[in-house]
Amino acid sequence: MTTAPAGTDSPSLSNTNTHYDLDPDIFGLFLDPLRKYSSGLYRSPSDTLEQAQLNKLAFVADRLGVSGGERVLDAGCGWGSVILHFAKEYGCSTLGVSPAGKQHAYIAERAAQLGVSERVSSVVGHFEEVELPEGGYDAVTMLGSIVHMPDLEAVLSRARRLLRRGGRLYVSESCFRSEGVRAEFDERAGTQFVRDSIFGYGELRPLSELVRGAENVGFSIQSLDDLTADYHRTIEDWIVNVRERAERIDAVRPGMAEHLERYLEVANAGWGYTTKHYALVCRKGR
């Protein structure tokens, strides 16, 4: 089931689906078969991109305590990798939220192919604005999406309200290494290119800001994992795919392969120096 988009008054909110509303075929050419557009998790040197993304989904389920039948909300669901996988592998009842309209038809089609349509639904709109039942979820996930949400504490507060008591929030996000690094690099040409030319809006925050925001709205911190090396390797695999399939990507949208490669190279240039990638799990204790 897909519902219509909610309205938005925020220019930054209205710009966040710029990249994600590209032709779905582009993403199918450089991502893994699940079209998971965030860091994988490489358990061994021989892991492929596909295996790394399956590893990551199992890791997310473990951190959330998902064992079967839970109600899971994915805020910024992309092409549905989390909600489709959790519905198929764990029997979860899942809902995805994304402002990018093209993603929802794909999710509905894949859910039907996998035989999980009754357990998968999606809403076109922004997580900050769509109507959702408070206390209705066992887990909320945000994989690489909170960077596109301008009001951090409002988003975290809403996630907490949507969770049942004892429910968990999983956030994986790229972060500036410190507030000082943010001040130095936020307006650099590479950062502006990725933020403005690719995504339309994005706010890369230090980890300390995410943790402070979560604690301020009443979450307790459950766990923290450093996935920086994994995201570096994920993007390396994406770059290989873009280069190998450049002609096919450009056949869908001329010039897109070069645009994607520049974005990915900029994203991979600063790992460990200016940027890190973390998985943060928070619990609604009461």
Side-chain angles (χ1 to χ4, degrees):
M1 177 187 70
T2 303
T3 59
T8 178
D9 298 320
S10 169
S12 53
L13 278 183
S14 65
N15 290 337
T16 56
N17 65 334
T18 304
H19 180 63
Y20 302 105
D21 234 355
L22 292 171
D23 192 304
D25 290 342
I26 291 173
F27 296 93
L29 287 168
F30 76 94
L31 301 179
D32 68 296
L34 295 175
R35 298 193 186 186
K36 184 173 169 298
Y37 202 11
S38 58
S39 177
L41 182 60
Y42 293 80
R43 297 294 192 186
S44 76
S46 62
D47 277 352
T48 62
L49 174 64
E50 180 178 0
Q51 184 60 55
Q53 295 295 18
L54 289 171
N55 293 343
K56 176 66 174 302
L57 290 167
F59 169 83
V60 174
D62 178 70
R63 286 291 184 267
L64 290 171
V66 168
S67 58
E70 287 84 0
R71 301 158 298 168
V72 179
L73 168 67
D74 189 22
C77 63
W79 302 99
S81 59
V82 172
I83 59 176
L84 292 166
H85 186 81
F86 278 33
K88 180 175 182 292
E89 299 299 328
Y90 300 96
C92 293
S93 175
T94 65
L95 173 67
V97 180
S98 169
K102 291 180 181 178
Q103 294 178 333
H104 297 271
Y106 174 82
I107 291 170
E109 180 181 354
R110 286 294 296 143
Q113 291 170 352
L114 294 169
V116 294
S117 295
E118 74 283 0
R119 295 197 296 274
V120 174
S121 59
S122 65
V123 177
V124 186
H126 295 277
F127 174 68
E128 299 91 321
E129 299 172 336
V130 297
E131 292 186 12
L132 298 165
E134 294 195 0
Y137 300 94
D138 300 296
V140 174
T141 57
M142 299 180 183
L143 279 69
S145 59
I146 206 167
V147 68
H148 303 308
M149 300 177 185
D151 192 333
L152 178 64
E153 288 202 10
V155 166
L156 292 170
S157 180
R158 180 159 213 222
R160 187 177 182 278
R161 292 195 307 272
L162 293 173
L163 288 166
R164 64 163 173 81
R165 181 176 294 185
R168 297 182 187 181
L169 167 69
Y170 176 98
V171 176
S172 57
E173 195 54 79
S174 300
C175 301
F176 276 121
R177 190 168 54 83
S178 67
E179 188 57 50
V181 169
R182 178 197 212 173
E184 182 179 356
F185 286 91
D186 193 45
E187 297 303 320
R188 294 286 182 95
T191 306
Q192 289 185 325
F193 167 72
V194 172
R195 180 175 56 230
D196 301 334
S197 298
I198 299 294
F199 294 113
Y201 173 83
E203 183 64 32
L204 210 63
R205 304 172 175 98
L207 173 65
S208 56
E209 193 168 321
L210 295 182
V211 171
R212 182 171 60 250
E215 290 180 333
N216 284 349
V217 304
F219 276 118
S220 60
I221 306 303
Q222 192 80 17
S223 65
L224 177 67
D225 294 276
D226 183 351
L227 303 181
T228 303
D230 293 280
Y231 210 177
H232 181 274
R233 187 168 163 188
T234 301
I235 295 179
E236 288 292 311
D237 282 345
W238 289 345
I239 291 172
V240 169
N241 288 342
V242 169
R243 289 173 178 167
E244 289 181 348
R245 301 163 190 174
E247 288 188 9
R248 294 167 64 187
I249 292 170
D250 286 343
V252 179
R253 187 182 180 95
M256 192 66 204
E258 182 180 358
H259 199 63
L260 279 173
E261 186 171 346
R262 182 185 173 195
Y263 144 55
L264 294 170
E265 287 178 341
V266 169
N268 245 10
W271 292 126
Y273 174 55
T274 58
T275 51
K276 299 279 287 180
H277 190 79
Y278 296 104
L280 177 68
V281 178
C282 308
R283 183 175 181 272
K284 180 179 179 178
R286 58 180 182 178

